[in-house]
């Protein structure tokens, strides 16, 4: 091992040991008098007191913490955490998939919020062995987002704000479901990525958004959560609408290549729709806005049917 690598490793290990020795002994009493919630891995997460120094390991988790009034308690987050604007000023400790453990340990968190299927598992297990508390989030549906809001509010001491945020979100989704879920179905292809071409099945939250809006996901029955269909497969399915989040918040670039396939129903009728990715591809309350936009897009597609009333 190079000398620089050995030195860096010793530095992280020494800092980790120092932190471990300084962990509050009050954690031992959490079982009896503290806060306890069950995270999305089914683990009981316990704190003696509401967390005051939180590390958030994905942009959507950072957004959830702000939504429950706990943004000021985030002492570190990861790259691309950009909403609300205040999130851009929070120090970074790596990316959603690779952490700088030395920087993370240096902020002395009393709670780490992680993404179960995306955060680096080996690094998180190491942090847990050092005695740090980790809450794992993996909301797979609308209710999961509301549940996360309530749990994060409890862990950070903002239960009242969290309850209001969760209830407002549930009310928005219920109103959209009542208005759109029984509308005539529209065959939809949702494009998550361009190269390789990627979509979602019905188990994915975006699949549930499509279904709520009365859409029919053309790849919904596939077993893979994020399938990679060939372009020829999409053309053969001939969706009535193509929806994409694009490579950026105001860049519908990925829709343009479809325009050359003029025999495709979605192209022939002008049903190529863009939704900013942060509104539909992040598991936060803003997905209610993304859902509304998709529902309205599918209403437009229905209105463009040859048999639709003029």
């Amino acid at each position: 091992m190079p000398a620089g690598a050995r030195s860096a490793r010793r530095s992280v290990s020494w800092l980790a040991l120092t932190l471990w020795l300084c962990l509050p002994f009050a954690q031992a009493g959490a079982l009896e008098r503290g806060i306890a919630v069950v995270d999305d891995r089914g683990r009981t997460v316990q704190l003696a007191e509401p967390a005051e120094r939180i590390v958030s390991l994905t942009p959507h988790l950072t957004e959830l913490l702000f939504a429950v009034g706990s943004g000021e308690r985030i002492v570190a987050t990861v790259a691309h955490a950009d909403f609300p604007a205040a999130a851009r000023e929070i120090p970074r400790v790596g990316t959603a998939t690779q952490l700088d453990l030395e920087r993370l340990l240096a902020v002395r968190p009393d709670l780490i919020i992680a993404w179960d299927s995306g955060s680096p598992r080996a690094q998180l297990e190491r942090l847990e062995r050092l005695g740090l508390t980790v809450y794992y989030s993996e909301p797979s549906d609308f209710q999961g987002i509301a549940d996360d809001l309530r749990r994060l509010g409890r862990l950070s001491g903002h239960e009242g704000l969290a309850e209001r945020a969760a209830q407002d979100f549930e009310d928005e989704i219920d109103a959209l479901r009542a208005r759109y879920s029984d509308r005539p179905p529209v065959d939809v292809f949702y494009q998550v990525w361009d190269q390789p071409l990627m979509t979602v099945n019905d188990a994915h939250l975006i699949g549930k958004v499509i279904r709520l809006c009365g859409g029919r996901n053309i790849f919904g029955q596939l077993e893979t959560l994020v399938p990679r269909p060939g372009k020829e497969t999409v053309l053969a399915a001939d969706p009535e609408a193509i929806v994409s989040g694009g490579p950026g918040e105001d860049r519908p670039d990925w829709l343009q290549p479809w325009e050359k396939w003029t025999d495709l129903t979605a192209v022939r009728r002008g049903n190529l729709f863009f939704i900013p990715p942060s509104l539909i591809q992040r598991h936060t309350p803003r997905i209610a806005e993304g859902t509304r936009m998709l529902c309205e897009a599918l209403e437009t597609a229905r209105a463009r049917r040859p048999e639709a009333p003029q």
Side-chain angles (χ1 to χ4, degrees):
M1 179 183 294
R6 287 198 301 270
S7 177
R9 184 173 180 179
R10 285 197 301 270
S11 177
V12 173
S13 299
W14 176 253
L15 182 57
L17 177 60
T18 302
L19 175 68
W20 179 80
L21 292 173
C22 292
L23 285 174
F25 288 107
Q27 287 184 346
L31 277 169
E32 298 178 1
R33 61 183 182 83
I35 298 164
V37 303
V38 177
D39 69 9
D40 287 330
R41 289 181 64 185
R43 302 157 62 253
T44 299
V45 177
Q46 299 167 323
L47 295 173
E49 304 290 345
E52 295 185 356
R53 301 183 62 80
I54 303 173
V55 171
S56 168
L57 298 184
T58 72
H60 82 271
L61 292 170
T62 298
E63 187 173 332
L64 287 173
L65 286 163
F66 272 96
V68 301
S70 301
E72 64 184 18
R73 300 193 178 198
I74 306 173
V75 294
T77 184
V78 292
H80 307 300
D82 56 6
F83 188 88
R88 300 169 192 163
E89 305 303 319
I90 300 172
R92 270 41 179 172
V93 290
T95 69
T97 57
Q98 182 65 40
L99 304 176
D100 183 327
L101 292 185
E102 185 171 357
R103 287 187 179 182
L104 190 155
L105 292 168
V107 300
R108 301 184 67 247
D110 49 23
L111 178 64
I112 297 171
I113 309 296
W115 179 23
D116 187 30
S117 63
S119 297
R121 181 63 57 86
Q123 289 186 304
L124 287 169
E125 289 175 350
R126 181 177 178 185
L127 292 171
E128 289 190 84
R129 287 195 298 271
L130 292 171
L132 278 79
T133 302
V134 180
Y135 172 93
Y136 288 94
S137 167
E138 189 72 29
S140 60
D141 54 22
F142 299 111
Q143 189 58 52
I145 293 173
D147 290 344
D148 259 355
L149 287 168
R150 291 184 171 99
R151 294 171 193 158
L152 294 177
R154 178 160 172 73
L155 289 169
S156 60
H158 290 116
E159 290 182 80
L161 287 172
E163 179 57 38
R164 287 193 291 276
Q167 190 62 61
D168 287 348
F169 174 70
E170 289 171 335
D171 290 346
E172 287 185 79
I173 294 300
D174 286 345
L176 290 167
R177 183 180 289 109
R179 181 173 181 180
Y180 293 108
S181 63
D182 291 329
R183 298 288 293 146
V186 176
D187 286 348
V188 177
F189 171 61
Y190 185 89
Q191 182 171 325
V192 174
W193 202 253
D194 182 27
Q195 294 182 355
L197 195 63
M198 298 169 69
T199 185
V200 297
N201 69 5
D202 282 344
H204 195 285
L205 181 56
I206 296 172
K208 294 177 172 67
V209 170
I210 293 170
R211 186 163 61 250
L212 180 149
C213 293
R216 186 162 50 207
N217 180 1
I218 63 171
F219 294 110
Q221 300 307 309
L222 297 182
E223 292 185 5
T224 306
L225 190 67
V226 182
R228 297 184 179 187
K231 185 166 290 185
E232 296 76 11
T233 309
V234 178
L235 296 173
D238 193 23
E240 187 176 356
I242 295 177
V243 184
S244 172
E249 291 299 288
D250 56 357
R251 293 180 56 193
D253 307 29
W254 292 343
L255 292 172
Q256 295 166 4
W258 293 107
E259 294 174 356
K260 69 179 181 181
W261 304 100
T262 54
D263 289 337
L264 200 61
T265 299
V267 175
R268 191 171 65 252
R269 296 182 185 172
N271 295 335
L272 303 179
F273 303 108
F274 170 75
I275 298 176
S278 69
L279 299 183
I280 195 167
Q281 293 178 191
R282 287 188 185 179
H283 293 32
T284 76
R286 285 194 297 158
I287 203 170
E289 184 178 351
T291 300
R292 177 187 58 77
M293 293 178 68
L294 190 140
C295 289
E296 290 174 354
L298 298 193
E299 279 295 280
T300 298
R302 294 180 184 103
R304 290 174 176 167
R305 288 171 171 168
E307 69 276 14
Q310 303 299 316

